[in-house]
C-alpha cells in the first residue's frame, strides 16, 4: 500500500510508525506539514492509498480530507478532543487514558473512529514527554498497523463518534494557556510536581525562582524539610532542591523567561543567585551503582539523553569504580532515553560553544574508552530507551547489546553536521561491516530495534515494559556471569582487544575522528553551528529534510 505520513515533526513516534510500515513492505512517504500548499503537493506527488497523521498539530486542508482517507492518531480516549490532551490528563490525575485513530473531517478530532487503545496511568504523575514517548507511542504504533489493515478491507466502516455511548468517555478540553501552567512554590510538593510534569518537556511550568521568571522541568519529590517556599535548600549535580508548602522538590532543568534562553541544568541557570546553598541532599542521582552478586550495574539517566561534559566525567568515575570490583559482568544501563550523545543545549549556551563542544566530545570519548577497554569482565549494554548519534556508538563498545522492542536507534551524525567520534569508526564496522556502517551513517535514517538485531548492531531483542526489560537484562547478565565457559569468554575478549590494538591502536581511531570533528566544530565545514542552533531553538523546518525526501516512495531497509 502507498502510505503518506503527514507529520509536524519526524520525532520518536513518527519514526516508529515509519519503521513499522516500511518493515511490513509498504511504500511510505514522509512529509512535514509546513503549510496547506505543502500538504496538498505531497499528496499529489505521493498518490497515496492512505494518509496517516501520527503527530500533526495543524488542521488538515478540506480538499485533502474530502478527496483522500486521512486518519488522525489522537493522544486521547474516544471522545477526547483538543490540543492539550496529555497536559490535562496528567494535571487532573486521570487514572486511565487512551489513543484514538479517527478520520479527518471538518471539525477537529470529531471524525468517525477507526480504532482505539486504552491503558492505565500510574498513580504517580508521569512526565508528559515520558507518557507520550512510552504508553502513548506504543498504543499509537499498534493503531497505525491496525488502520492499514482496516484500510485494505473494503467491508470496513468506521464508527461515528457518539457521546451517547457509555464507552465514549472523553470530552472536549480547551487548549492550555500560561495561567494553567503557572504554580506557586507554596503549594504542596505533590501538586508542584504534578503541574511541572504536565508541562514537561514543553513548554514547561511557569514560576519564580530566586527572583527569576523561569519555566521548570524535570521535577521529583524531595525530602520533607521545613523552609521558606521557593527558597533553595540544596544542590546536587545540576539540580536544585526547592522548598514547597509542605516539603521539597528536586528540579533538574530550567529555562529563563526574562531573556532568550534554552533549557539547561538548574544550577547553570541560577548560577550566582544560589548563594551558599548547601551542597548535597539525598534523592537526586543521575548515576548510580548497584551490585547483585556477580553482576554490577552502572545506571545513568540524563534528561533527554543529553550528556554534558561534567556528566560524562562523573560517568567515567562510576565506570572505573565498577570495573575495579570483583564482579564478572558490568551492566551499563541507560535511562528513559539511553543516550543521545553530547549536550547541544549546554554547548549552545556556553560563552565559547566550539570549545565546549570540543571538551564535551572528548569527555564522552572517555566514557566509551572505559567500556571498550574493560577486559577483565564482560560488559552488557542495556538499551531500554531510544538512542542517537554518540549514544548508539557508546553502547556498541559493550560485549553484548540488548535492546527493548519498539525502541528507535539513530546511528548517525550527518543531520547535525558532524563526522562523529565515540570510536564509531572502530565499534560500528566491527559489528556490521564497513559497507553497512557506511550506509547507516551516510543515509542518516532511523533504525528499529528488530532491524538493529538482524543487522548485528544489537545482540538480542527483549519485550515488555521498561521495568520488565531491565529485569530480563539483569537475569541475562547473571546467566552470563554463571556460564561454565565464562573464563574462556573473557580470555577470548582480551586477546581480540589486544589483537585489534596491535592492528590499529584505539588511540589512532580517536585521533582520526577528532581531526575530522575539529573541522566540524571549529571550521564549521558542514553547518554544525546552524544545525545546533536550530535544534536548541526548536526552529520550525522550512522543508522536509533532504535525507527523508530522498527516500520518498521506497520500502524496506
Amino acid at each position: 500500500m502507498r502510505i503518506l505520513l503527514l507529520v509536524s515533526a519526524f520525532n520518536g513516534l513518527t519514526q516508529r510508525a515509519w519503521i513499522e510500515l516500511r518493515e511490513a513492505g509498504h511504500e511510505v512517504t514522509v512529509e512535514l506539514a509546513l503549510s496547506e500548499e505543502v500538504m496538498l503537493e505531497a499528496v499529489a506527488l505521493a498518490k497515496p492509498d492512505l494518509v496517516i497523521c501520527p503527530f500533526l498539530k495543524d488542521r488538515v486542508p478540506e480538499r485533502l480530507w474530502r478527496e483522500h482517507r486521512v486518519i488522525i492518531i489522537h493522544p486521547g480516549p474516544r471522545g477526547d478532543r483538543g490540543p492539550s490532551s496529555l497536559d490535562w490528563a496528567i494535571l487532573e490525575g486521570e487514572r486511565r487514558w487512551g489513543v484514538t485513530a479517527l478520520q479527518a473531517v471538518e471539525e477537529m478530532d470529531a471524525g468517525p473512529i477507526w480504532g482505539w487503545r486504552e491503558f492505565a496511568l500510574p498513580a504517580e504523575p508521569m512526565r508528559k514527554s515520558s507518557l507520550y514517548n512510552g504508553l502513548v507511542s506504543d498504543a499509537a504504533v499498534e493503531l497505525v498497523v491496525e488502520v492499514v489493515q482496516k484500510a485494505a478491507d473494503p467491508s470496513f466502516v468506521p464508527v461515528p463518534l457518539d457521546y451517547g455511548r457509555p464507552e465514549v468517555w472523553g470530552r472536549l478540553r480547551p487548549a492550555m494557556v500560561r495561567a494553567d501552567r503557572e504554580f506557586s512554590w507554596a503549594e504542596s510538593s505533590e501538586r508542584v510536581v504534578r503541574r511541572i510534569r504536565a508541562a514537561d518537556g514543553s513548554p514547561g511550568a511557569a514560576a519564580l525562582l530566586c527572583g527569576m521568571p523561569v519555566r521548570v522541568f524535570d521535577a521529583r519529590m524531595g525530602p520533607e524539610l521545613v523552609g521558606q517556599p521557593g527558597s533553595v535548600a540544596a544542590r546536587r549535580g545540576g539540580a536544585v532542591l526547592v522548598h514547597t508548602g509542605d516539603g521539597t522538590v528536586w528540579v533538574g532543568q530550567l529555562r529563563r523567561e526574562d531573556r532568550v534562553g534554552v533549557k539547561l541544568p538548574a544550577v547553570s541557570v541560577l548560577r550566582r543567585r544560589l548563594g551558599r546553598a548547601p551542597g548535597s541532599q539525598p534523592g537526586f542521582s543521575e548515576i548510580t551503582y548497584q551490585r547483585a552478586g556477580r553482576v554490577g550495574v552502572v545506571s545513568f539517566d540524563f534528561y533527554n539523553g543529553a550528556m554534558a561534559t561534567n556528566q560524562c566525567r562523573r560517568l567515567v568515575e562510576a565506570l572505573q569504580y565498577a570495573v575495579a570490583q570483583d564482579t564478572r559482568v558490568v551492566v551499563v544501563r541507560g535511562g528513559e532515553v539511553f543516550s543521545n550523545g553530547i549536550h547541544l543545549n549546554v554547548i549552545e549556551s556556553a560563552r565559547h560553544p566550539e570549545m565546549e563542544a570540543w571538551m564535551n566530545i572528548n569527555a564522552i570519548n572517555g566514557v566509551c574508552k572505559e567500556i571498550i577497554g574493560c577486559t577483565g569482565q564482560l560488559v552488557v549494554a542495556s538499551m531500554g530507551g531510544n538512542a542517537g548519534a554518540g549514544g548508539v556508538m557508546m553502547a556498541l563498545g559493550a560485549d553484548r547489546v540488548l535492546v527493548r522492542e519498539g525502541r528507535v536507534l539513530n546511528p548517525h551524525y550527518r543531520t547535525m553536521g558532524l563526522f562523529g567520534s565515540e570510536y564509531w569508526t572502530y565499534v560500528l564496522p566491527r559489528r556490521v561491516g564497513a559497507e553497512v556502517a557506511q550506509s547507516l551513517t551516510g543515509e542518516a535514517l532511523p533504525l528499529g530495534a528488530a532491524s538493529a538485531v538482524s543487522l548485528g548492531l544489537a545482540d538480542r531483542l527483549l519485550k515488555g515494559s521498561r521495568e520488565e526489560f531491565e529485569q530480563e537484562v539483569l537475569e541475562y547478565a547473571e546467566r552470563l556471569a554463571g556460564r561454565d565457559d565464562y573464563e574462556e569468554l573473557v580470555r577470548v575478549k582480551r586477546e581480540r582487544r589486544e589483537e585489534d590494538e596491535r592492528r590499529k591502536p584505539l588511540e589512532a581511531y580517536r585521533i582520526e575522528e577528532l581531526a575530522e570533528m575539529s573541522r566540524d566544530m571549529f571550521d564549521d565545514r558542514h553547518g554544525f553551528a546552524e544545525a545546533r542552533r536550530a535544534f536548541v531553538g526548536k526552529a520550525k523546518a522550512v522543508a522536509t529534510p533532504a535525507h527523508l525526501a530522498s527516500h520518498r516512495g521506497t520500502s524496506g531497509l
Side-chain angles (χ1 to χ4, degrees):
M1 187 175 290
R2 290 192 304 275
I3 300 170
L4 170 63
L5 294 181
L6 203 56
V7 302
S8 293
F10 197 51
N11 63 3
L13 169 56
T14 54
Q15 288 183 14
R16 285 184 64 182
W18 181 82
I19 289 166
E20 190 78 27
L21 294 173
R22 280 165 54 95
E23 290 182 348
H26 301 290
E27 295 183 10
V28 187
T29 300
V30 178
E31 195 72 42
L32 298 187
L34 303 175
S35 67
E36 181 173 322
E37 292 73 22
V38 167
M39 288 188 260
L40 292 172
E41 182 183 0
V43 171
L45 289 172
K47 297 179 173 57
D49 303 307
L50 184 67
V51 179
I52 302 178
C53 307
F55 175 63
L56 185 63
K57 296 180 179 180
D58 302 297
R59 184 182 295 274
V60 177
E62 180 178 358
R63 178 180 160 192
L64 180 51
W65 60 258
R66 285 197 182 279
E67 297 179 0
H68 298 268
R69 290 182 297 183
V70 180
I71 310 303
I72 308 295
I73 307 298
H74 177 73
R78 285 168 289 180
D80 181 84
R81 297 168 59 196
S84 305
S85 296
L86 297 183
D87 314 60
W88 288 116
I90 297 168
L91 190 60
E92 296 179 351
E94 297 284 357
R95 297 307 303 273
R96 286 194 63 77
W97 203 243
V99 178
T100 308
L102 47 91
Q103 193 158 336
V105 294
E106 184 173 4
E107 195 172 359
M108 288 189 73
D109 303 332
I113 296 170
W114 280 59
W116 66 89
R117 293 290 186 278
E118 292 183 3
F119 44 80
L121 293 179
E124 181 180 351
M126 298 180 69
R127 283 170 40 192
K128 183 175 66 171
S129 55
S130 302
L131 176 57
Y132 177 83
N133 291 316
L135 294 170
V136 168
S137 289
D138 291 344
V141 171
E142 287 183 11
L143 277 178
V144 166
V145 174
E146 180 180 320
V147 163
V148 173
Q149 292 171 344
K150 288 178 175 177
D153 180 2
S155 65
F156 171 74
V157 178
V159 180
L161 175 62
D162 181 0
Y163 284 101
R165 302 177 67 90
E167 65 270 21
V168 180
W169 51 274
R171 65 183 190 274
L172 175 62
R173 298 167 187 260
M176 269 200 180
V177 296
R178 180 188 171 86
D180 298 315
R181 304 187 190 279
E182 291 177 334
F183 71 93
S184 166
W185 296 105
E187 298 176 52
S188 69
S189 295
E190 190 279 334
R191 188 64 181 169
V192 169
V193 168
R194 182 174 295 279
R195 196 169 288 274
I196 294 171
R197 290 185 177 178
D200 201 337
S202 178
L208 280 173
L209 186 56
C210 296
M212 180 191 300
V214 292
R215 290 283 181 158
V216 188
F217 311 83
D218 191 21
R220 62 196 77 180
M221 300 289 286
E224 293 184 2
L225 304 177
V226 177
Q228 179 66 32
S231 62
V232 175
R235 59 205 288 183
R236 185 183 177 97
V240 293
L241 184 65
V242 185
H243 285 291
T244 65
D246 64 355
T248 60
V249 167
W250 281 106
V251 172
Q253 305 283 319
L254 295 171
R255 176 171 60 81
R256 293 188 66 158
E257 286 207 284
D258 58 347
R259 63 174 67 172
V260 176
V262 300
K263 193 187 305 181
L264 291 168
V267 169
S268 299
V269 174
L270 297 177
R271 296 183 185 276
R272 298 192 182 107
R273 295 176 184 244
L274 285 176
R276 295 185 176 275
S280 183
Q281 278 284 345
F284 184 91
S285 298
E286 293 178 313
I287 305 171
T288 61
Y289 176 78
Q290 294 177 306
R291 178 168 178 163
R294 294 174 291 187
V295 177
V297 181
V298 177
S299 299
F300 58 97
D301 193 353
F302 301 130
Y303 188 77
N304 288 343
M307 300 173 62
T309 302
N310 62 342
Q311 292 170 317
C312 292
R313 289 170 178 169
R314 286 190 281 119
L315 185 52
V316 165
E317 293 175 356
L319 289 167
Q320 290 173 341
Y321 177 85
V323 300
Q325 307 308 304
D326 60 346
T327 52
R328 287 186 156 204
V329 175
V330 174
V331 175
V332 181
R333 175 194 289 168
E336 180 182 304
V337 178
F338 179 80
S339 171
N340 281 322
I342 58 177
H343 202 310
L344 298 175
N345 283 28
V346 169
I347 291 169
E348 180 62 20
S349 66
R351 179 173 297 182
H352 302 290
E354 298 81 7
M355 184 56 66
E356 179 59 38
W358 183 251
M359 291 192 297
N360 200 164
I361 197 65
N362 276 278
I364 199 171
N365 278 351
V367 175
C368 299
K369 184 178 180 181
E370 292 298 327
I371 295 172
I372 298 169
C374 174
T375 56
Q377 302 174 55
L378 298 179
V379 181
V380 174
S382 175
M383 302 185 75
N386 296 345
V392 177
M393 308 310 174
M394 183 174 73
L396 301 188
D399 304 299
R400 305 285 192 278
V401 178
L402 277 56
V403 61
R404 183 180 161 216
E405 184 183 42
R407 300 315 94 186
V408 177
L409 310 181
N410 278 277
H412 56 80
Y413 305 83
R414 175 184 151 195
T415 54
M416 198 50 61
L418 294 172
F419 175 83
S421 194
E422 291 94 3
Y423 301 94
W424 79 263
T425 54
Y426 171 63
V427 296
L428 185 59
R430 97 176 158 170
R431 275 194 163 265
V432 302
E435 185 176 344
V436 175
Q438 179 60 41
S439 174
L440 290 173
T441 54
E443 292 187 356
L445 295 171
L447 191 67
S451 294
V453 173
S454 68
L455 288 175
L457 194 76
D459 297 289
R460 185 168 296 189
L461 179 73
L462 300 178
K463 300 182 180 182
S465 66
R466 181 179 160 194
E467 292 74 19
E468 292 168 336
F469 168 81
E470 290 177 352
Q471 181 58 38
E472 277 203 63
V473 172
L474 187 57
E475 292 170 0
Y476 175 92
E478 289 169 345
R479 291 194 300 271
L480 195 59
R483 284 179 51 158
D484 293 337
D485 62 345
Y486 170 81
E487 296 294 345
E488 175 68 9
L489 293 174
V490 174
R491 183 188 65 79
V492 170
K493 169 186 176 174
R494 184 183 301 112
E495 290 179 354
R496 284 178 178 170
R497 176 83 279 281
E498 291 171 353
E499 181 181 347
D500 286 349
E501 188 69 13
R502 286 193 297 270
R503 185 182 300 113
K504 181 176 181 177
L506 202 59
E507 181 68 4
Y509 290 98
R510 187 184 75 88
I511 291 172
E512 289 172 355
E513 291 170 1
L514 289 179
E516 298 287 347
M517 289 288 274
S518 68
R519 297 177 65 191
D520 293 334
M521 290 177 170
F522 294 104
D523 299 338
D524 198 27
R525 61 175 174 172
H526 291 139
F528 172 54
E530 181 180 352
R532 183 184 69 239
R533 281 192 292 269
F535 176 86
V536 168
K538 301 188 183 303
K540 185 174 181 179
V542 296
T544 298
H547 67 293
L548 292 179
S550 64
H551 281 76
R552 287 180 176 133
T554 62
S555 62
L557 284 173

